[in-house]
Amino acid sequence: MNRNDIIARCQQNDSTLLSFEDRGPWGDRKWRGNCSGWIQAFLMWKYHTKKFSELFAGSGTGYDVTKDMGISYVGADLNPNPVRPGILNVNAVTDEVPEEFYGADQIFMHPPYGAEIKIPYAGSMYKDPTGELSKSDLGQMPWDIFMKTLNEIVMKYYSAMEPGARMSILMGDVRRGGFHSMFTDIVKPGELEQVIIKAQHNCVSDGRTYTNRNFVPIVHEYIMVLKKLAPYLINFQLPQKYEMDTRDSKTSTWRDVVYAALKKIGRNASLEEIYSEIEGHEKAKSNMNWQAKIRQTLQMSNLFVHDSRGVWAVAA
Ligand SMILES: C[S@@+](CC[C@H](N)C(=O)[O-])C[C@H]1O[C@@H](n2cnc3c(N)ncnc32)[C@H](O)[C@@H]1O
């Protein structure tokens, strides 16, 4: 495709909502999880890229776009028989960043989306007779291991980037075995410069009819653009999951705690039963008059009712 025609189409789509209905003439639509080449084209055009590097290069979509854009390219993929001459056989889990990646002003990644989405690569898109490749295939890792591994890879490739260069990652949410969001779980090194929403067309769910659809269908992916700020400094945000008991939380009010205790008991309850739910927890330990505080909370809130025997319940 002609470079000027590519640029004209990108200019028409210059917003945080990228919506390209076709995938362009690049790469291979039969490669599972392949992406539209318009994504790479847009990113190359937008950021005036001179050397484009690509991890998880797959069917050669990125390589093909760089040829039409007249941009230098290096790619890497676990596939032992890379589909294009510019793609190296690299295991991103175990191997160092290839030297060829140094000096790129943009690195693009379109990783697999974890095992839940059921798109394995090793042993499926290419042979894996010993099963060794499958162990490193991010498409075969359960979510938590997948995200931890991907985050280590992102940090490894960030370390090898040029100051001022950009890392753009195409990723999505998965609703299988629960809802998982790559965007919330991914590490974000450097400066988060842009979040772009990519509209998905021709989704599998488009053709499905649901008798009881109690969820919102996912029809988008994200592109996160990160900029490396300085040669030495690696600043990053790494999401962390926390869990605590509301009875030990500084931000929970007495009303929250008493309400939670009655919900946990699940029926009308005496004062003694409510006390024993809360006793020994930080909320009680930090107040010498904690039992009086519970009585006051019950009496002062319209959330609670009691009968003549002094048995308490959550108001209907
Ligand atoms: C979503 S596909 C990329 C598709 C590509 N954007 C395209 O349009 O064809 C993800 C790719 O990650 C590769 N991959 C999985 N685990 C890998 C690993 N440990 N190291 C390098 N590549 C890996 C797979 O072989 C697959 O080609």
Side-chain angles (χ1 to χ4, degrees):
M1 197 172 192
N2 178 285
R3 177 185 158 93
N4 291 335
D5 293 342
I6 298 173
I7 291 173
R9 183 101 183 260
C10 291
Q11 282 168 334
Q12 287 163 13
N13 272 274
D14 189 12
S15 80
T16 52
L17 178 59
L18 286 188
S19 181
F20 293 99
E21 292 198 6
D22 61 295
R23 63 181 309 290
W26 309 288
D28 181 356
R29 65 177 64 249
K30 292 201 277 307
W31 191 269
R32 296 198 69 198
N34 71 86
C35 68
S36 160
W38 287 112
I39 303 308
Q40 287 103 320
F42 179 84
L43 293 165
M44 288 172 208
W45 165 72
K46 186 78 224 177
Y47 296 114
H48 311 286
T49 306
K50 294 181 180 59
K51 178 178 174 182
F52 192 77
S53 62
E54 181 178 37
L55 179 60
F56 312 116
S59 71
T61 309
Y63 172 90
D64 293 350
V65 177
T66 57
K67 291 298 126 195
D68 287 353
M69 289 289 280
I71 290 170
S72 130
Y73 177 90
V74 58
D77 199 279
L78 188 62
N79 183 359
N81 298 301
V83 300
R84 298 287 187 274
I87 300 177
L88 309 168
N89 170 217
V90 172
N91 180 344
V93 177
T94 55
D95 296 343
E96 288 187 0
V97 179
E99 284 194 358
E100 292 85 339
F101 272 60
Y102 285 76
D105 51 353
Q106 179 163 188
I107 172 163
F108 174 76
M109 296 187 193
H110 179 209
Y113 291 1
E116 286 75 5
I117 204 164
K118 294 192 169 54
I119 304 186
Y121 290 93
S124 173
M125 296 307 298
Y126 38 88
K127 291 200 173 80
D128 181 22
T130 63
E132 268 313 295
L133 292 179
S134 295
K135 290 182 193 159
S136 292
D137 178 1
L138 278 90
Q140 300 188 44
M141 296 182 187
W143 192 267
D144 287 349
I145 296 170
F146 159 64
M147 282 310 311
K148 184 171 180 298
T149 311
L150 178 61
N151 284 344
E152 284 165 8
I153 293 170
V154 167
M155 293 304 285
K156 179 157 74 173
Y157 276 76
Y158 184 83
S159 298
M161 278 168 59
E162 291 289 299
R166 291 183 172 85
M167 175 184 280
S168 43
I169 307 179
L170 172 60
M171 62 189 126
D173 296 335
V174 175
R175 187 186 292 102
R176 278 201 190 157
F179 179 77
H180 307 285
S181 176
M182 276 173 83
F183 185 65
T184 57
D185 292 354
I186 201 160
V187 66
K188 298 170 186 76
E191 178 186 278
L192 179 61
E193 192 180 17
Q194 193 78 65
V195 178
I196 301 168
I197 305 296
K198 169 190 170 283
Q200 270 182 304
H201 297 281
N202 310 314
C203 302
V204 178
S205 58
D206 291 353
R208 286 195 184 146
T209 42
Y210 297 87
T211 45
N212 181 20
R213 196 166 79 176
N214 59 352
F215 60 88
V216 183
I218 297 170
V219 294
H220 72 283
E221 294 172 292
Y222 313 87
I223 301 146
M224 167 173 92
V225 183
L226 304 156
K227 191 168 180 185
K228 183 159 178 173
L229 299 174
Y232 286 144
L233 187 70
I234 301 179
N235 54 315
F236 61 98
Q237 298 172 46
L238 180 62
Q240 174 86 39
K241 287 183 183 153
Y242 300 93
E243 190 179 280
M244 73 183 309
D245 191 309
T246 191
R247 296 167 294 183
D248 298 319
S249 160
K250 284 204 173 75
T251 50
S252 299
T253 63
W254 275 102
R255 191 174 57 192
D256 300 333
V257 172
V258 172
Y259 188 86
L262 277 165
K263 285 283 168 182
K264 158 73 185 359
I265 294 167
R267 54 172 169 72
N268 296 1
S270 66
L271 276 175
E272 279 65 31
E273 286 177 293
I274 299 170
Y275 293 158
S276 74
E277 284 292 325
I278 300 168
E279 187 170 18
H281 284 275
E282 289 306 319
K283 203 75 185 163
K285 283 190 203 161
S286 59
N287 188 330
M288 274 170 53
N289 301 313
W290 63 275
Q291 291 174 322
K293 189 70 193 171
I294 289 174
R295 288 195 298 279
Q296 183 196 47
T297 305
L298 285 161
Q299 279 153 10
M300 288 184 64
S301 170
N302 292 329
L303 287 173
F304 310 114
V305 289
H306 66 100
D307 65 16
S308 53
R309 295 167 299 148
V311 172
W312 289 88
V314 172

